[in-house]
Amino acid sequence: MVRRSLVTRIAPLLLILTFGLVLGSGCEYFSSPQNTFAPAGEVAEGQRDDFLFVMWPALVILIGVWVGTVVIAIKFRRKKGDTTLPRQVHGNTPLELTWTIIPAIMMAAVAVPTVVGIRELARDPGDDALTINVTGVQWAWLFEYPDIDAGGAPLSTTPGELRIPVGRDIDVQIRSTDVNHSFWVPKLAGKTDAIQNHPNHMWLRATKEGEFAGQCAEFCGLDHYKMRFTVYAMPQAEFDAWVAEQQAAAGAKQGEPQVGLATDGE
Amino acid sequence: MAVSTAGALKAHGATSESGIWSWLVTVDHKRIGVLYGVSSFFFFLIGGIEALLIRIQLATPENGFLDPDAYNRIFTMHGTTMVFLVVMPMSSAFFNLLVPLMIGARDVAFPRLNAFSFWVFLAGGLLLNASFFTGGNIFDGEFGAPDGGWFGYAPLTLERYSGGHGIEYWMLGLQILGVASLAGGFNFAVTILNMRAPGMTLMRMPVFVWMTLVMSFLLIFAMPVIAVALFQLSFDRLFDANFFNPAAGGSPLLWQHLFWLFGHPEVYILILPAMGMVSEVLPVYARKPLFGYPFVVFSGVAIGFMSWGVWAHHMYTVGLGPVANSAFGITTVMIAVPTGVKIFNWLATLWGGSISFNTPMMFCLGFITMFTIGGLTGVTHSMVPSDYQQQDTYYIVAHFHQVLFGGALFGLFAGIYYWFPKFTGKLLNEALGQVHFWLMLIGFNLTFQPMMILGLMGMPRRVASYPEDYGWDLWNMMATLGAFTIALSILVFMWNVIVSLRRKERVGADPWDGRTLEWSIPSPPPEYNFREIPHVHSVDDFWHRKYAEDAQGRPVPVPAGGAALVEHDDGRSAHELGIHMPSTSYFPLVAAIGLPIIALGLIYYIPLVFVGAAVLLIGLYGWVYEPASE
Ligand SMILES: [Cu+2]
C-alpha cells in the first residue's frame, strides 16, 4: 500500500545518526560544574547511584521495546500483493497477567531502595555537624553560621559565597523571606525548597575539596536565572583559619561606634 | 485549514447550512469538532512559535535575544497554551467528531451545552492570549502576558511579586477554560453512558470511547480542584485576601497541593485520549483485533484511579517529610504498571499481523517508541532520593515532553491522518505524511533527548540564560535545531492539508477497512450520522459485519457484507427523512461571551462584571426557554 519512497529509506538512517550524535559526542561535553554525575559529596554520590540503579534496567527495557517494535514491524509487514488477512487473535490472559505481574515485581524492587534512600536523606546530621542558615531572597542567597559568633552576631558570609569544611556533616537550615526558591548544589546534594513560613532542612557532606557551583532551582521571578552561588569546601583547619579571620575583622568593627540597635552579645 | 475544512464540509451536502452564521449557531457535534480542531491548531501554532522563541534564546549561552522578563512571560504562555489550549481541546475535537459516531448516536446528549463548551473554550483562550497586548502597557513596549509559569506557584503570583495584569488574565482565563472542560466532561460522560446504540454494552465500546469516558470523569473531578485554587488566588489578588500570602499567615504549600491534585490527573487527561486513538488505529493497519481488549480498557481505568494518588511527586523537595515522600514514591512507581500493560498489549496486537505502514500507523509506532522513553523516565522519578537532583531541571522538561509530545501529540497526529478522510471525504497525501512523520520524529529526538542530558548535567528549568563555561552549549544548540526541525515538519503537515483538500478524488466510506461504526456511514457523514441506528453485536461491530471467522480464527468475508452495508447519502436532509435533529441556537454563544466580560470587569472595572453577568443570564434564559424544535 505504501510506496517505498526515498523518505522511508533515508529517514531511519537519519534517526540513527541523531542518536549517534547525541550519544557519541565525546566526554568533554559531559563535564559541567553542576554535573550530577560527577559528585563531590556523600548525598550526591548516593543520589547518582540511586539514579543509575533505575536507569540501567530502564535502558534495557527501552531498548527491548524498541528492538521488539522494529523486529515485529519488519517480520509482520504486509508483503506486496498479499490480500490475505491474518489469524484474528483476541488476547491471551495468562500472557497478559505475566506482563502485568513481572513489571509489578520489578517496580516493587525499585520501591525498596527508594524508601531506604529517603530515610537516609531524612536522618539527623551527626553530632559534630556544622549548622548553616540559608536564606533565599529575590535574587540572592544569604548564608550565616548561627553557632559561630562574630562580634556579637552570627558569622555571615558575602552573599552567594558559602564556606564549609570537608568531611563534616553540614546541617543546612533553609528559609525564604519572599517567594519560593530552591537550594541546590548539584555536586554536593539534591535540592530542598526555600519557602516562607515553612522552614526546611537538609544535610550534606563534601567528600572533596573545591569550588562547587550552586543555583536556585525554583522559578522565582525576573532574575531567577542569575541566582547562583558558590560553595567553597576546604579542610577543617583552613575553614577554622577563615572563621578566625572573620571574627577578628568583626571584632575590630565592633570596637568602632555602633549605629542602630546594640547587640546583646559580648 | 479553517476555511478549507469548513469548505470541504460545506461542499458536501451533509451540512446543508453554510456561511459563518451557520457555524456560530451550530450544535452539530461534527461541526463543533471541526471548530475545536481548527482553534486548537491555531493555538498550537502560537504555542509553537513561543517554543521557537524560547529555543532561539537558549541556543547560545548569555544570549540577549529575549530579555528575562519577556522570556519568563513566553515560557509561561508556552506551557499554559500547550496544555490548556492545544492538547486538551484537540482531544475534545476528537471526542466531538468521533464519540457519537462510534457509539451509534446522532449527536451528543446535550448539543447546546456542547456548543457552549466550545465558545467558552475559545473565549478563555483568546482572553489568555490577549494578555500579551493588554496585560501591560504595550505602548511602553511591555508584554503583559503572565509571568508566573504554567504552574503559577504562589506567592510569586501575588500582586506584590507580579505587578501588571498578566497573572489576572491567567487565573481568570484558566477559570473560564475550566468551565468549558467541566461542561464538556459532563456532556461526554452522559453521552457515553446514555446514548449508546442498542446492543453496545460498555464492554463493546471502542477503546477510544472508553478512554474518553475515563477522561471525562477525570475532568469532572479535577477541574473543581483547580477552580478552588484559582478562586482563592483571585480573592488574594483582587480583594486582598491572604490564602497564599505567607506574610499574613497564608500557605504557599496550599497552592502546590491544590495545583498538583488537579495537575497530575491532568497529565492523564492529556494522554488517555491519545492512548485510545492508538488502540483504534493499530488494529486496523495490523488487520488484527486489539490484543486483550479488557486489559487495555481496565489498565486505562486503573490509570484513571491511580492518577489521584501521585500528585505529591511534583513536591518531593518542598519538605513533606520522609513518610509522605515514600508513599508518593511507591504510588508513582505503581502507576507505571498499567501503562506498561498498554505498551505490551499494543506490541502483541502487531505480533502476527499483516502490517501496512501508512502515516497513521507510523505515528502510532512513534507513539509507542517515544512514549516508552517518557514512561521510563517517569519511573526514575519514583526513585525519590535521586529525584531531589532531577526536580526542576531539564531532565523533567525532557520527561514530560516525551509523554506529552512523544505520546499525546504523536497519538493526535495518528488520529488526524486516520480520521481525516472520514470528515472531509479526502485522504491526506501519503508521501507528505511520511515526510512529516520522519521530520517530526527526528526533530523530537534532537530536541528532547539532549534536554535529558542537560538536566543530568545540572541545568535548571525556567532559566532565561545560562553561563558560557557550564558545558551546556552543545546540547542546547542541538535542542534548538531539533525544535526548528519540528517546526518544518508542521509546515509539511499544513501543506499536506491544503494540497489534500484541493484534490478532486474522494474516498468512500471505509478507506482503511475499518472496524468501528464510524466507517459504516458515508464520508463525510450526513448531519444525522446514521439513517438507521445500528444494532451492535460485538466489539468492532462493523468489522464483524464484513468478516466472519473460520475455525482457525481466519477472517472470511461475509457475502453481503462490507461496502454493501454502508449507508448511502442521497442528499436528503434529516427533515426529509423524518429524523429529528436538535435545532441550531445562538444562545450558547451569547452565554459564553458573558464570561470574558466578567473577567475583564474583575481586572479593570467592577461594574463591567454586572454587564457580563447580564449577558450570561440573557444567554442562559434564552437557552432555557428556547422552543425545543422548529
Ligand atoms: Cu530563587
Side-chain angles (χ1 to χ4, degrees):
Chain A
M1 224 164 158
V2 179
R3 202 157 39 88
R4 277 212 143 256
S5 59
L6 203 58
V7 181
T8 36
R9 280 166 202 276
I10 292 175
L13 283 177
L14 278 175
L15 191 67
I16 292 165
L17 207 73
T18 308
F19 271 101
L21 202 66
V22 169
L23 292 175
S25 302
C27 287
E28 59 184 301
Y29 295 110
F30 289 100
S31 80
S32 164
Q34 294 190 176
N35 191 353
T36 61
F37 274 15
E42 199 180 310
V43 175
E45 272 165 34
Q47 286 166 330
R48 179 202 53 191
D49 296 343
D50 283 340
F51 183 79
L52 293 176
F53 177 84
V54 186
M55 191 196 83
W56 290 120
L59 216 53
V60 170
I61 294 170
L62 178 66
I63 290 169
V65 169
W66 282 5
V67 170
T69 309
V70 172
V71 167
I72 291 172
I74 293 172
K75 186 171 153 71
F76 296 106
R77 72 189 184 279
R78 193 169 179 81
K79 315 272 180 331
K80 219 176 181 165
D82 185 358
T83 54
T84 60
L85 290 170
R87 207 162 69 82
Q88 305 287 293
V89 182
H90 294 270
N92 180 331
T93 308
L95 203 59
E96 290 168 81
L97 281 175
T98 310
W99 66 53
T100 310
I101 292 167
I102 290 180
I105 294 169
M106 288 175 67
M107 296 301 144
V110 174
V112 176
T114 299
V115 175
V116 172
I118 291 172
R119 285 181 56 90
E120 172 65 10
L121 288 181
R123 79 166 165 84
D124 286 330
D127 289 338
D128 67 332
L130 174 69
T131 305
I132 293 172
N133 287 344
V134 173
T135 308
V137 296
Q138 280 181 323
W139 290 275
W141 289 102
L142 312 177
F143 305 105
E144 67 174 25
Y145 304 81
D147 300 333
I148 303 177
D149 179 89
L155 174 63
S156 59
T157 69
T158 315
E161 288 181 16
L162 174 61
R163 278 156 214 277
I164 57 167
V166 165
R168 183 171 163 195
D169 278 5
I170 310 293
D171 178 6
V172 190
Q173 300 287 334
I174 301 164
R175 2 182 111 62
S176 162
T177 54
D178 44 45
V179 302
N180 301 346
H181 304 275
S182 195
F183 175 81
W184 187 32
V185 194
K187 289 196 173 188
L188 295 181
K191 57 193 74 65
T192 298
D193 293 355
I195 301 166
Q196 203 184 149
N197 283 3
H198 181 85
N200 273 331
H201 64 94
M202 62 184 262
W203 65 271
L204 57 82
R205 186 188 181 101
T207 50
K208 289 177 191 154
E209 288 170 38
E211 292 176 21
F212 303 108
Q215 183 159 12
C216 175
E218 183 64 87
F219 178 61
C220 58
L222 191 65
D223 281 345
H224 164 61
Y225 72 108
K226 280 194 207 157
M227 205 167 143
R228 294 191 206 100
F229 60 99
T230 310
V231 179
Y232 300 88
M234 55 190 74
Q236 183 70 44
E238 203 177 308
F239 179 77
D240 290 341
W242 173 76
V243 169
E245 193 183 301
Q246 297 297 309
Q247 283 171 324
K253 229 179 193 173
Q254 208 192 20
E256 297 162 12
Q258 289 276 317
V259 185
L261 289 172
T263 51
D264 57 357
E266 285 296 294
Chain B
M1 191 182 163
V3 180
S4 37
T5 315
L9 273 184
K10 188 178 67 187
H12 195 72
T15 44
S16 45
E17 297 284 321
S18 59
I20 288 185
W21 181 251
S22 75
W23 287 89
L24 293 177
V25 299
T26 188
V27 294
D28 179 344
H29 69 96
K30 298 178 289 296
R31 284 181 162 220
I32 292 172
V34 170
L35 288 171
Y36 260 116
V38 170
S39 335
S40 61
F41 191 78
F42 168 71
F43 288 124
F44 178 62
L45 295 181
I46 295 181
I49 290 167
E50 285 156 0
L52 292 180
L53 293 174
I54 292 171
R55 284 317 320 167
I56 294 172
Q57 167 64 14
L58 294 181
T60 53
E62 314 274 7
N63 196 357
F65 173 74
L66 293 176
D67 65 58
D69 182 59
Y71 180 88
N72 292 346
R73 294 176 196 278
I74 286 170
F75 86 70
T76 299
M77 283 304 285
H78 168 73
T80 308
T81 300
M82 288 304 192
V83 169
F84 293 98
L85 304 183
V86 178
V87 178
M88 284 176 86
M90 216 178 260
S91 301
S92 288
F94 280 101
F95 308 152
N96 270 288
L97 291 169
L98 294 172
V99 166
L101 302 187
M102 283 182 157
I103 62 174
R106 289 198 170 121
D107 208 318
V108 294
F110 309 113
R112 287 180 297 175
L113 187 65
N114 202 22
F116 178 72
S117 286
F118 169 72
W119 295 116
V120 171
F121 150 71
L122 188 64
L126 294 177
L127 183 77
L128 256 176
N129 277 285
S131 65
F132 272 111
F133 308 104
T134 57
N137 191 347
I138 189 75
F139 301 108
D140 288 349
E142 268 175 45
F143 283 125
D147 56 359
W150 90 280
F151 56 106
Y153 271 12
L156 189 60
T157 46
L158 300 183
E159 201 157 13
R160 180 167 172 199
Y161 301 109
S162 175
H165 295 299
I167 298 290
E168 281 144 30
Y169 276 87
W170 180 81
M171 71 196 183
L172 297 169
L174 290 195
Q175 195 69 281
I176 290 175
L177 291 168
V179 172
S181 294
L182 263 183
F186 279 110
N187 204 347
F188 279 91
V190 175
T191 302
I192 292 168
L193 292 176
N194 286 2
M195 306 279 286
R196 282 166 289 141
M200 178 160 281
T201 59
L202 289 176
M203 290 310 280
R204 287 179 190 164
M205 294 197 309
V207 175
F208 177 72
V209 177
W210 256 113
M211 292 307 112
T212 308
L213 182 64
V214 174
M215 197 234 52
S216 300
F217 278 109
L218 290 184
L219 279 180
I220 290 170
F221 292 114
M223 298 318 290
V225 181
I226 193 175
V228 168
L230 290 167
F231 272 124
Q232 291 177 327
L233 177 62
S234 303
F235 274 91
D236 273 10
R237 276 196 75 110
L238 301 170
F239 307 115
D240 298 321
N242 289 309
F243 289 105
F244 304 121
N245 178 10
S251 167
L253 280 190
L254 175 63
W255 171 270
Q256 296 194 22
H257 281 292
L258 290 174
F259 187 82
W260 292 117
L261 190 49
F262 146 80
H264 209 83
E266 170 72 15
V267 172
Y268 294 96
I269 287 171
L270 298 172
I271 192 72
L272 283 174
M275 287 178 160
M277 286 183 213
V278 171
S279 305
E280 296 304 326
V281 174
L282 283 178
V284 170
Y285 295 102
R287 300 179 170 81
K288 256 182 89 224
L290 183 67
F291 192 88
Y293 169 91
F295 264 77
V296 177
V297 167
F298 286 127
S299 62
V301 176
I303 289 173
F305 279 105
M306 293 167 89
S307 70
W308 293 92
V310 293
W311 82 87
H313 71 205
H314 299 266
M315 300 169 60
Y316 289 146
T317 62
V318 305
L320 297 180
V323 176
N325 279 359
S326 301
F328 282 97
I330 291 168
T331 53
T332 301
V333 82
M334 281 346 252
I335 205 165
V337 174
T339 313
V341 167
K342 281 186 188 280
I343 302 275
F344 293 129
N345 276 54
W346 288 331
L347 289 179
T349 304
L350 298 178
W351 182 271
S354 176
I355 307 169
S356 300
F357 295 97
N358 299 62
T359 311
M361 185 60 167
M362 296 310 292
F363 275 101
C364 285
L365 296 177
F367 180 112
I368 294 175
T369 48
M370 296 301 116
F371 176 77
T372 304
I373 315 179
L376 290 168
T377 48
V379 174
T380 63
H381 300 153
S382 62
M383 178 54 93
V384 181
S386 75
D387 191 72
Y388 288 12
Q389 287 281 18
Q390 281 100 48
Q391 168 80 14
D392 274 321
T393 67
Y394 263 87
Y395 185 82
I396 305 292
V397 180
H399 159 72
F400 68 74
H401 281 94
Q402 286 151 357
V403 172
L404 296 180
F405 193 127
L409 265 183
F410 272 77
L412 287 165
F413 273 112
I416 291 174
Y417 278 89
Y418 178 65
W419 280 292
F420 192 84
K422 177 47 57 189
F423 295 97
T424 61
K426 305 190 179 174
L427 287 171
L428 282 168
N429 181 297
E430 186 58 33
L432 284 174
Q434 297 282 342
V435 174
H436 169 202
F437 167 74
W438 285 106
L439 274 179
M440 196 149 130
L441 187 72
I442 292 166
F444 169 81
N445 282 288
L446 203 51
T447 309
F448 299 111
Q449 312 324 0
M451 288 187 187
M452 256 196 292
I453 295 168
L454 279 171
L456 296 172
M457 283 169 66
M459 179 163 170
R461 304 168 70 169
R462 305 173 181 129
V463 285
S465 179
Y466 55 93
E468 214 155 88
D469 45 2
Y470 271 46
W472 300 335
D473 315 11
L474 173 84
W475 309 106
N476 272 299
M477 179 53 86
M478 216 182 257
T480 300
L481 293 176
F484 278 89
T485 312
I486 294 170
L488 185 64
S489 79
I490 298 302
L491 290 179
V492 173
F493 167 72
M494 290 164 72
W495 176 244
N496 193 351
V497 170
I498 293 168
V499 191
S500 302
L501 281 176
R502 295 179 74 183
R503 273 209 307 207
K504 290 278 184 295
E505 312 100 275
R506 303 194 141 273
V507 289
D510 185 19
W512 311 121
D513 202 4
R515 312 181 73 90
T516 36
L517 288 176
E518 75 271 25
W519 303 107
S520 72
I521 55 174
S523 311
E527 168 192 12
Y528 47 81
N529 298 349
F530 297 89
R531 188 175 292 188
E532 263 176 65
I533 297 297
H535 281 256
V536 176
H537 303 285
S538 64
V539 177
D540 292 342
D541 195 67
F542 183 52
W543 173 269
H544 290 291
R545 285 195 243 159
K546 295 187 284 188
Y547 300 97
E549 274 174 35
D550 68 12
Q552 282 83 46
R554 288 197 179 275
V556 183
V558 175
L565 286 173
V566 173
E567 293 180 349
H568 287 285
D569 182 5
D570 51 16
R572 280 195 288 168
S573 71
H575 187 69
E576 288 162 319
L577 288 163
I579 298 171
H580 170 79
M581 293 303 293
S583 319
T584 58
S585 170
Y586 51 80
F587 289 114
L589 175 58
V590 173
I593 289 172
L595 291 174
I597 299 178
I598 294 175
L600 290 172
L602 286 171
I603 298 173
Y604 295 108
Y605 184 58
I606 291 293
L608 202 55
V609 171
F610 297 99
V611 177
V615 174
L616 176 66
L617 285 175
I618 290 168
L620 292 179
Y621 184 85
W623 180 341
V624 169
Y625 288 102
E626 201 166 20
S629 169
E630 65 263 43

